[in-house]
Each structure stands twice: as C-alpha cells, then as structure tokens.
Amino acid sequence: MYRVIIDSCGELTKEMQEDGHFVNVPLTLEVGEQQIIDDETFDQASFLKAVAECSTSPKSACPSPNAYMVEMECDAERIYIVTLSAQLSGSYNSACLAKDLYEEDDESKQIYVFDSKSASIGETLIGLKIAECENKGMSFEEVVKTVEEYIAGQHTFFVLETLETLRKAGRLSNLKAAIAGTLNIKPVMGSTDEGSIQQLGQARGMVKALDKMGQCLVDVTENCEEKILAISHCNCLERALSLKEKMESMAKFKEIFIVDTRGVSSMYANDGGLIMVI
C-alpha cells in the first residue's frame, strides 16, 4: 500500500481526491495581517479580493515538519512526498526534516521526498506518475528512479494577467509594472532545470502571449504524443479551454486536462493567469 503526500500548491483533481492514495498538506497564506490556511476551507474569491485590496504582497509559509509527519501515520508502507520547488519554498526542506524525524522512531516505512522543481499542476502530474508506476507493480526503488527521471524532463510555463503581485513583492519596479500595464504586455515565464523561474519572452495582449507560451512548450517537447499536458487556470475556464484547443492544433498529445488553481498557486496567477506543464 502506498500514499502520496503533496503540499497544497499542487492541485488534486477530483479523481485524485476520490482515489484514496493522495492527500494535501496545507501551506499558510498571509495577506496583510490575515492568515489563511490553504485547505478545503479556502475561498478563492475572498482571497483574491483581499490580495487586490492589500498594499503589500501576499506571502506563504510552508507546512511544518509535524504536518507532514501526521500524514505519514497511516497504513501505507511506501510514502512519497511531492513539494513545491526547493528554489521557491521551504516546503521541500520541511518535508525532508519530517522524513528524518519520523524514521528516527519508525523505520518500517519506505519514504522519499521529491523536489518537484515546479509548482501547481507540475506537482499534480508527478503525483499521477507515482500512481502510474505503483499500479504497474514497480518496486519502491524503481518508482523513485522513474519519477526522478520524469521530473528531469518536465517543463513548466505560465502567463500572468497582471504583474501587480510581482510589483508588490519587489520583483518588478513600479515603472516597469506601469509600462507593462499601459502597453498590455504579458510576460511568458518558465521553469529552469534547477526549479527557479525565468522569463522566456513577452507579448502585447493575452492572445499573443498564449501563442508564444504554446510555441515555447512545443519547441522543447519531444514525442508530444507520449506526453500528458496539464493546464491550470485562475478563474478563467473559458481561456483555459481556448488554450487547450490551441495546443491540440499545435501538436498531438497523449492527453490534455484542465484544473482550477487554488491557494498558493492563485496567489501569483491572480484572476486570469494560466499555467501549463508537460
């Protein structure tokens, strides 16, 4: 028996929630003086309203080691933990510490922590890959090796509707943010091999930005027909469906699915942001 623990930056599809093998460990979001737990009580509309009205950037706090250890207390003999990129959050280090502390008292379980080097649906896809390997009857060591290779070949891309959160966080000057807003410039961002973020390009208007993001994905992806493409959106389902249709016209994929972002993912995406991972 196995369990997959994913920090709450990773969305769980309805099928994953009903599967019984997957659980989320929540991050805590801070908007001004308000603290919001990113669990099943999370209200995206209220959160986005609070972020828009707050003069400072929202922040996130990673799950504590104890939060991870609580989820390790189960009947599963094999436990896999998937976290936000270690370049973006302390979630990975917290999970590693939890693993070490748990194993001091109980060595009966096999536990491994995956640094997703991604976020959001990147973590979702990794969780699904773990389940695929387990369902094939792979050993624990084979699952770890296969999934680490999968992570190494994964690519994450995103386009933001607004740069306001980045401006508030001090990652973009007021002048650059103002110019981008006035000219309707949308940066196309992507992950590096190490799991940090880089700008891949920019375009005027969301339609052109999505075209550029799609081309960036196709350019770096071999054997698209063997790959699952996941699209995550923040409160813009129609735009996500349009992007899905666009990607289907650009290449043939094994599968494309769409999920809605939640807590920490929607913190930067804001209304209208999209993320693609393959």
Side-chain angles (χ1 to χ4, degrees), residues 92-143:
Y92 175 74
N93 289 334
S94 181
C96 288
L97 178 57
K99 172 183 179 295
D100 292 342
L101 291 172
Y102 190 91
E103 290 177 335
E104 286 182 5
D105 295 326
D106 186 349
E107 296 182 349
S108 65
K109 300 179 186 291
Q110 293 176 296
I111 305 172
Y112 189 84
V113 182
F114 291 102
D115 173 4
S116 73
K117 299 183 181 178
S118 182
S120 185
I121 45 170
E123 297 178 66
T124 307
L125 285 173
I126 293 166
L128 292 173
K129 189 66 176 180
I130 293 168
E132 176 189 310
C133 293
E134 278 282 346
N135 291 336
K136 288 181 178 178
M138 291 186 182
S139 68
F140 181 80
E141 292 76 15
E142 288 172 330
V143 173

Side-chain angles (χ1 to χ4, degrees), residues 63-211:
S64 68
N66 185 65
Y68 282 112
M69 292 172 70
V70 167
E71 295 299 341
M72 294 179 195
E73 288 290 351
C74 59
D75 294 334
E77 300 102 2
R78 301 177 302 285
I79 296 176
Y80 307 95
I81 305 174
V82 183
T83 75
L84 253 165
S85 170
Q87 297 289 322
L88 304 176
S89 168
S91 187
Y92 175 74
N93 289 334
S94 181
C96 288
L97 178 57
K99 172 183 179 295
D100 292 342
L101 291 172
Y102 190 91
E103 290 177 335
E104 286 182 5
D105 295 326
D106 186 349
E107 296 182 349
S108 65
K109 300 179 186 291
Q110 293 176 296
I111 305 172
Y112 189 84
V113 182
F114 291 102
D115 173 4
S116 73
K117 299 183 181 178
S118 182
S120 185
I121 45 170
E123 297 178 66
T124 307
L125 285 173
I126 293 166
L128 292 173
K129 189 66 176 180
I130 293 168
E132 176 189 310
C133 293
E134 278 282 346
N135 291 336
K136 288 181 178 178
M138 291 186 182
S139 68
F140 181 80
E141 292 76 15
E142 288 172 330
V143 173
V144 168
K145 181 176 183 294
T146 302
V147 174
E148 283 289 10
E149 290 173 350
Y150 175 76
I151 292 172
Q154 198 176 62
H155 299 283
T156 303
F157 306 86
F158 62 95
V159 172
L160 305 181
E161 174 64 38
T162 173
L163 302 177
E164 188 62 12
T165 300
L166 293 178
R167 182 194 67 78
K168 290 178 181 178
R171 298 187 179 185
L172 192 70
S173 71
N174 290 341
L175 178 60
K176 286 184 177 179
I179 292 174
T182 301
L183 298 179
N184 196 24
I185 293 174
K186 310 296 182 186
V188 177
M189 314 294 286
S191 60
T192 66
D193 291 342
E194 296 76 26
S196 58
I197 296 171
Q198 62 181 331
Q199 183 170 341
L200 302 173
Q202 62 184 36
R204 293 190 66 175
M206 182 59 77
V207 172
K208 290 183 178 179
L210 294 180
D211 286 342

Side-chain angles (χ1 to χ4, degrees), residues 203-227:
R204 293 190 66 175
M206 182 59 77
V207 172
K208 290 183 178 179
L210 294 180
D211 286 342
K212 185 176 286 291
M213 179 171 68
Q215 191 59 55
C216 287
L217 184 147
V218 172
D219 286 346
V220 300
T221 306
E222 298 179 356
N223 303 319
C224 290
E225 66 279 1
E226 300 175 3
K227 305 291 179 64

